[in-house]
Amino acid sequence: MKILLRYRLTDDLRSAGAALAAVVGVNILMVLFTNDRVYGSGTGAAMAFWALVVGIAALRADLRLGNQMGVCRREAFTASVVGTAVSCAAAAVGVAAVTAAGQLLTDGGGRLEVMEPYQMVYAPDTYVMPLSGYAAMAVFCAAFYLCAAAFGMLCSAAFWRASRAGKWALGIGMGAAFGVGIPQALYRFGPALERPLGLLLSNQWAADAAMLAFAAVFLGGTALLVRRAAIVPASR
């Protein structure tokens, strides 16, 4: 299990570093090749997509690798979840550090202004936050990334267990839900959701707790799906 956990951490941290460097590089290129003022951001959102992809890809790879190494299904699943969670926390610290460095270097002046969506919602009146602000941002990002990774694991496990027709139904159903169902639900039940959504947007710790609760639900569903999943080589 330790070898599998080390493998997951190494693989995730390398990909996280590459993704973070790519987003920072894009911001630098925008400053170099444009004459307008650049509002640099996107590292937090980009790393959320990274976490989603890691969750989708890591689960099956870890279970197959664990099967080849003689590690039981439960330990392989635990190593995958723990490794992904630690990697999400490390990525969140990286995002907070990059944001802090960018804001300290620019100080709101010049042609580059660094601002993350987290700060727009929870600290809109400050450009350079105190150390506690960046620490709170790291906690928020860690919870967000873990929720995204857990959802990716759930999707991966669901498609893994589904039949061919079930995969089509899942794909179409998820597209319809995200493209039509959820926006329509928010529109129709907006007044009823105004209070809980207002609480999440005004209290970061409530939002953190909500995302961790969703992550726990996603991981619980994933665990149920992989209990009897047939672990076969990827070529099959």
Side-chain angles (χ1 to χ4, degrees):
M1 180 177 173
K2 290 182 180 180
I3 297 176
L4 189 59
L5 179 59
R6 190 180 303 119
Y7 164 77
R8 176 48 45 216
L9 283 171
T10 302
D11 190 51
D12 286 354
L13 291 176
R14 284 177 178 173
S15 62
L20 194 58
V23 178
V24 172
V26 168
N27 283 309
I28 293 174
L29 289 175
M30 289 174 62
V31 173
L32 293 177
F33 292 100
T34 60
N35 296 321
D36 299 327
R37 185 174 178 83
V38 177
Y39 295 90
S41 64
T43 51
M47 297 309 291
F49 283 105
W50 163 84
L52 178 65
V53 172
V54 164
I56 293 172
L59 179 66
R60 284 195 253 187
D62 291 343
L63 289 177
R64 285 170 177 150
L65 183 59
N67 187 44
Q68 295 173 4
M69 296 170 58
V71 178
C72 71
R73 188 188 306 252
R74 180 180 298 176
E75 290 186 352
F77 177 74
T78 302
S80 184
V81 172
V82 172
T84 301
V86 173
S87 301
C88 288
V93 173
V95 168
V98 167
T99 303
Q103 292 178 344
L104 288 171
L105 290 173
T106 58
D107 197 22
R111 292 179 47 231
L112 176 64
E113 182 174 339
V114 179
M115 184 70 71
E116 283 295 321
Y118 164 85
Q119 197 170 354
M120 297 176 187
V121 175
Y122 297 107
D125 298 327
T126 56
Y127 183 71
V128 178
M129 296 187 293
L131 182 60
S132 59
Y134 292 109
M137 176 182 174
V139 173
F140 177 87
C141 289
F144 186 27
Y145 300 160
L146 180 58
C147 186
F151 181 70
M153 287 185 172
L154 179 63
C155 292
S156 180
F159 277 94
W160 190 7
R161 292 297 307 275
S163 63
R164 181 171 298 181
K167 289 181 174 66
W168 277 97
L170 275 174
I172 295 172
M174 290 178 64
F178 284 104
V180 179
I182 294 177
Q184 284 295 319
L186 291 175
Y187 175 76
R188 289 178 178 273
F189 301 104
L193 296 173
E194 184 175 349
R195 230 177 134 178
L197 288 178
L199 174 63
L200 296 179
L201 293 175
S202 62
N203 188 328
Q204 177 209 326
W205 306 109
D208 294 344
M211 289 187 290
L212 291 176
F214 274 110
V217 171
F218 296 151
L219 290 175
T222 305
L224 292 176
L225 287 171
V226 302
R227 283 180 64 184
R228 299 187 180 277
I231 303 175
V232 296
S235 59
R236 295 177 58 187

